Amino acid sequence: MRKLLFVIPPYFNAADYLDKARAAVLPAFTIPYGILSMEAYLTKHCVNLGELRLVDLNVTLKRLVEERSVENYEEIFSAELHAILEEFQPDIVGVSALFNSSFGYIQSLVKTAKDFDPEIITIAGGGLPSAAFKLMLEKCPDLDAICKGEGELPLKELIDAEDPAAVIASHKSWINRVGAEKGKMPAHTFIANLDDIPQMNYAMVNLDNYNNRGIDKRYTDQPKREMAIHTSRGCPFLCVFCSNPSLHGRDVRFMSIDRIIEDVTRMRDEFGMTVLMVEDDHFFHDKERAKTLLAALADLGIRCEFPNGVAVYAIDEEVAELFSRAGVSAVALAVESGSDHVLNNIIKKPLKKKLIRPAVEALRKFNVRSHVFIVTGLPGEQDEHRQETLEMLIDHGFDWVHVYLAIPIFGSRLYDICVENGYIENTSNDDFVATKSVIRAPGVDPVKLEAYAYETQLRVNFIENHNMKIGRYDVAVHYMKNVVAKYPDHAFGHLYMSKCYEGMGDLQLAMSHAVSALEIFERDAFWKNLAERYDVNYRAMLTLAPLVAKPEPMAVSA
């Protein structure tokens, strides 16, 4: 009987938290849905599986960041993994990685396993290894093999095999160095019917570690239990920045409505789930099925969110009403650009800009919050296209805007374009995050782009905040509270939070945040310069703050 240990490397960079003075904020963790799915399938169908365990090093790194002890993270990871290896004695160690930023951790982890026992089979899977198998096998000498795409069926073959090495050599979804050197191209082995995957064993993880992904900030401080579901796999589109086809393919496979409702009911009743995070790649691939599912979810008495982005073209008043009935409080819209040229000719996305406003208005009519994802910095995008996007964002009245810099993810067309044209100057995967510009292409100025992404969010979410313009301070205040909780020195956060409380008639809280805003503006040239550049007269705005009445402080020589 074989034992299998899954290891999830961090999907954020420890180096970003080494500077103790830096106000870096941890990302919200995503429940390891793929591993839970594989555990359920393998436990039921394998004849040679003794036990399966999971360790998520994101949780470890979060603890280190909170304890301000990030410096020795590699040694701590190795020690934690070594202790598990010693106690569990696995036969196979599998590393599951989704993002480019996990690349730098993998060799260290598999080396720890091989140093403990050279007979351990070390494997990797997930979006990153699936797409970058050649480079990963080259850079990770202690990694034995990589699984292409979804792992349920290939892992079953490996675990039950009399000779695992023979399976790795011959199976179409497994690739090792010998196969790569011979030119083998690994292929997917998919489960066609998602109902064949048994219900998941959520006891494998501490759900408290995955309870902060919600985008509706009304509920940030309220008791809740978030749990995720993927009701389908696959996406037919080939958006330039997306690597989904390398993991789930372009054919969309579904879980039945009855099975979904059975699972969600169990999540609610057995695990206390109150918020269902629907994480499909393309929920509206079959619009009639999606509407049927929303109608069925309406009877369960839960709240739902779509944090990964949904197709704008599918949202009309009927869908918006179904969202509302199903307890959908917030939806992230996968808009990506406010330029038809960028959408159709660069991203290759089947969306027209004219469809965005009706979708937002339909959602607003039924009190569903609308967030929007924007991706900027794609090769071919010019300043005029970014200006179009900015104007669209200000005009359409989203509840919150997220602007990300394009990342050349392994497996995406964008990565291939950048490599073919020499657009990636720094190939360190540590820099492949949505706040850094690593692309060097005509029209892509990294300094300007990073400023555009950050300042566009400041303009739309604060200076031009739609809800504040129309007097919905009770809506805007939850987002401002979330900002200042994460970034206590965010001058715009305190400034506009003060205005929200003033508009709501809570003068005491308005005064408190006005004082905080003024103090930050006066000591921090970054915020003062931003205010001047965007003509934000914070002193005139903060009429409640007693400091406003005081004369300007005199310069004091050092």
Side-chain angles (χ1 to χ4, degrees):
M1 302 294 280
R2 292 192 174 100
K3 294 181 179 180
L4 170 59
L5 174 65
F6 279 118
V7 182
I8 303 176
Y11 42 72
F12 57 100
N13 300 317
D16 289 344
Y17 301 87
L18 291 174
D19 181 358
K20 295 185 179 181
R22 179 178 175 180
V25 175
L26 287 164
F29 296 159
T30 301
I31 194 168
Y33 194 90
I35 290 179
L36 293 180
S37 174
M38 286 187 285
E39 189 274 344
Y41 188 86
L42 297 173
T43 298
K44 178 176 180 180
H45 294 288
C46 283
V47 297
N48 201 25
L49 178 64
E51 191 176 351
L52 189 154
R53 290 191 191 177
L54 161 67
V55 56
D56 187 349
L57 292 175
N58 287 285
V59 177
T60 302
L61 189 51
K62 176 178 183 290
R63 173 177 56 81
L64 296 179
V65 170
E66 291 171 345
E67 294 173 353
R68 296 298 209 184
S69 58
V70 185
E71 289 85 353
N72 300 318
Y73 70 91
E74 289 181 322
E75 292 87 345
I76 293 170
F77 290 167
S78 181
E80 180 174 341
L81 181 55
H82 188 276
I84 296 169
L85 293 168
E86 196 167 52
E87 186 268 328
F88 185 49
Q89 299 286 322
D91 301 285
I92 304 170
V93 171
V95 180
S96 176
L98 284 177
F99 307 112
N100 288 36
S101 52
S102 295
F103 201 117
Y105 299 104
I106 293 175
Q107 166 56 19
S108 176
L109 295 174
V110 293
K111 184 178 188 303
T112 298
K114 287 292 191 182
D115 286 348
F116 175 79
D117 181 356
E119 297 302 313
I120 288 176
I121 301 171
T122 55
I123 59 175
L128 171 61
S130 292
F133 66 89
K134 290 181 180 178
L135 183 63
M136 188 165 288
L137 288 169
E138 174 189 335
K139 299 293 186 181
C140 302
D142 290 292
L143 182 63
D144 292 325
I146 286 172
C147 175
K148 170 76 172 181
E150 298 168 12
E152 288 93 350
L153 292 172
L155 265 173
K156 179 186 181 303
E157 296 296 318
L158 184 71
I159 291 168
D160 284 346
E162 182 176 339
D163 182 0
V167 170
I168 289 172
S170 62
H171 195 286
K172 70 174 184 177
S173 295
W174 287 106
I175 183 73
N176 58 11
R177 281 173 197 79
V178 173
E181 290 169 0
K182 291 181 177 179
K184 177 181 178 180
M185 296 298 293
H188 296 109
T189 305
F190 290 143
I191 294 177
N193 182 1
L194 300 188
D195 284 5
D196 290 343
I197 301 171
Q199 291 184 328
M200 296 182 186
N201 174 20
Y202 293 104
M204 280 193 74
V205 298
N206 181 348
L207 291 171
D208 291 340
N209 292 324
Y210 309 95
N211 201 38
N212 194 33
R213 193 158 183 250
I215 60 175
D216 191 337
K217 300 311 175 186
R218 282 175 289 186
Y219 303 95
T220 299
D221 298 325
Q222 296 186 20
K224 61 184 184 300
R225 163 68 71 221
E226 298 174 358
M227 295 179 72
I229 192 168
H230 296 213
T231 78
S232 65
R233 293 182 182 179
C235 180
F237 303 132
L238 281 174
C239 295
V240 68
F241 47 74
C242 183
S243 64
N244 179 72
S246 70
L247 184 60
H248 295 301
R250 297 185 65 185
D251 293 331
V252 181
R253 292 155 289 134
F254 298 105
M255 187 183 293
S256 69
I257 303 290
D258 288 344
R259 170 60 190 278
I260 295 166
I261 297 305
E262 180 184 354
D263 281 6
V264 174
T265 301
R266 172 176 174 258
M267 292 156 70
R268 180 196 65 186
D269 295 345
E270 294 185 22
F271 299 95
M273 185 266 291
T274 60
V275 187
L276 182 68
M277 312 296 283
V278 183
E279 297 184 344
D280 293 36
D281 292 307
H282 186 22
F283 181 76
F284 285 106
H285 177 70
D286 182 337
K287 187 173 179 179
E288 291 306 312
R289 170 190 177 272
K291 292 192 294 186
T292 302
L293 175 54
L294 289 170
L297 290 171
D299 297 328
L300 299 185
I302 58 172
R303 191 164 62 81
C304 300
E305 292 192 17
F306 288 75
N308 284 359
V310 298
V312 176
Y313 69 79
I315 298 177
D316 51 26
E317 288 203 1
E318 180 187 11
V319 168
E321 184 177 13
L322 283 167
F323 272 151
S324 181
R325 285 171 48 198
V328 177
S329 64
V331 170
L333 301 174
V335 171
E336 272 91 47
S337 177
S339 163
D340 278 331
H341 173 77
V342 173
L343 287 169
N344 303 143
N345 299 314
I346 297 176
I347 298 177
K348 307 292 186 183
K349 188 178 185 71
L351 173 64
K352 298 293 184 184
K353 186 169 66 174
K354 66 182 181 181
L355 299 177
I356 301 171
R357 184 195 295 276
V360 174
E361 291 176 348
L363 293 171
R364 188 179 299 128
K365 178 177 179 180
F366 292 96
N367 198 32
V368 179
R369 304 266 173 102
S370 62
H371 290 215
V372 62
F373 293 150
I374 298 296
V375 178
T376 190
L378 295 163
E381 181 191 54
Q382 303 296 325
D383 286 343
E384 64 194 75
H385 305 132
R386 290 186 273 273
Q387 182 62 28
E388 282 185 76
T389 296
L390 174 62
E391 292 170 0
M392 180 274 294
L393 292 174
I394 292 173
D395 182 60
H396 282 26
F398 303 101
D399 290 292
W400 202 252
V401 170
H402 310 262
V403 182
Y404 301 114
L405 291 163
I407 307 172
I409 299 172
F410 287 112
S412 67
R413 288 194 298 114
L414 177 59
Y415 182 83
D416 295 337
I417 291 169
C418 289
V419 170
E420 290 166 7
N421 292 278
Y423 291 161
I424 305 177
E425 182 177 282
N426 181 2
T427 57
S428 169
N429 295 290
D430 291 346
D431 289 334
F432 283 24
V433 293
T435 56
K436 297 180 182 179
S437 177
V438 299
I439 298 173
R440 304 293 184 266
V444 179
D445 181 325
V447 175
K448 284 177 60 177
L449 271 175
E450 290 176 12
Y452 169 85
Y454 185 67
E455 293 179 22
T456 293
Q457 292 175 100
L458 291 181
R459 288 189 63 177
V460 181
N461 291 329
F462 298 92
I463 301 170
E464 304 276 358
N465 185 283
H466 174 77
N467 285 311
M468 294 183 68
K469 284 181 181 178
I470 63 175
R472 295 178 65 189
Y473 299 104
D474 59 323
V475 174
V477 73
H478 295 288
Y479 294 97
M480 304 304 168
K481 285 175 66 177
N482 181 65
V483 169
V484 299
K486 290 183 174 180
Y487 306 97
D489 287 340
H490 198 293
F492 278 23
H494 286 286
L495 172 65
Y496 290 94
M497 195 167 176
S498 174
K499 298 306 294 181
C500 283
Y501 280 126
E502 183 180 1
M504 295 165 64
D506 192 331
L507 301 186
Q508 185 174 356
L509 281 173
M511 175 80 76
S512 172
H513 288 283
V515 171
S516 295
L518 280 171
E519 188 274 328
I520 297 167
F521 278 119
E522 291 306 313
R523 67 172 162 80
D524 194 326
F526 171 81
W527 288 109
K528 183 178 287 188
N529 291 337
L530 275 174
E532 291 174 357
R533 187 153 74 250
Y534 290 107
D535 197 26
V536 176
N537 188 346
Y538 54 87
R539 287 188 167 275
M541 291 172 66
L542 296 175
T543 55
L544 292 171
L547 295 178
V548 173
K550 293 184 179 181
E552 292 283 348
M554 295 180 62
V556 179
S557 59

